Amino acid sequence: MGVDLKTFNMMIKSYGKAGMYEKMQSVMDFMQRRFFSPTIITYNTVIDVFGKAGEIEKMDKHFNRMKHLGVKPNTVTYCSLVNAYGKAGLIDKVDSIMRHVENSDVVLETPFFNGVISAYGRAGDIEKMDELFLAMKERNCELIASLLLA
């Protein structure tokens, strides 16, 4: 039984959580040498790790690489990006993600809306928060109570 993509993704996530970014990159390099193509799960893992660590530049690099290679972002990708940009106070980047999502066929779910509303809340844009809250209600999404306490 050999190593598979799931194993690589788990290693990337574990190294990322431990802050061992060089090891994380070495796993990705090894994958490439062995002709394993990173999947949306691989990229979502890397984007989430760098986003949570506040490594916005590295996160953006992998997001751009993912798109360049034709791996289509999904709601998990956009949630990770929005959460990281919101925490970093990069509301213009949140606006950019909103434009990306509007021009895609990605189904917007509760976690995405919660992240965007939180980002605009941190930025003090109450009008945009209200607008997104109404959009959530139209889609029958639930607002997570912890968001209101953040």
Side-chain angles (χ1 to χ4, degrees), residues 9 37-45 66 71-74 76-77:
N9 288 336
S37 296
T39 64
I40 186 64
I41 293 169
T42 310
Y43 281 110
N44 282 345
T45 300
M66 177 183 107
V71 179
K72 189 176 170 186
N74 63 17
V76 173
T77 314

Side-chain angles (χ1 to χ4, degrees), residues 18-134:
M20 301 171 77
Y21 306 132
E22 287 179 27
K23 288 274 195 185
M24 195 170 83
Q25 186 60 53
S26 70
V27 172
M28 292 185 77
D29 293 343
F30 182 83
M31 286 173 63
Q32 187 174 6
R33 286 193 307 275
R34 297 290 186 260
F35 304 104
F36 282 90
S37 296
T39 64
I40 186 64
I41 293 169
T42 310
Y43 281 110
N44 282 345
T45 300
V46 172
I47 288 167
D48 190 56
V49 163
F50 284 131
K52 285 180 178 173
E55 297 278 353
I56 303 300
E57 196 172 300
K58 290 177 182 175
M59 180 185 76
D60 283 345
K61 181 182 108 181
H62 287 281
F63 178 57
N64 289 329
R65 181 180 297 154
M66 177 183 107
K67 291 188 302 180
H68 177 75
L69 294 173
V71 179
K72 189 176 170 186
N74 63 17
T75 187
V76 173
T77 314
Y78 290 127
C79 283
S80 294
L81 292 166
V82 162
N83 287 329
Y85 293 147
K87 287 179 184 166
L90 301 170
I91 203 66
D92 57 321
K93 295 262 194 179
V94 174
D95 290 338
S96 174
I97 294 299
M98 292 297 291
R99 285 190 298 278
H100 275 268
V101 170
E102 288 169 6
N103 294 320
S104 76
D105 59 357
V106 172
V107 177
L108 301 179
E109 297 172 354
T110 301
F112 175 81
F113 280 106
N114 288 333
V116 175
I117 288 172
S118 178
Y120 284 114
R122 282 189 182 100
D125 191 338
I126 306 303
E127 189 175 312
K128 192 75 169 179
M129 285 176 61
D130 289 342
E131 181 183 312
L132 288 162
F133 182 69
L134 290 174

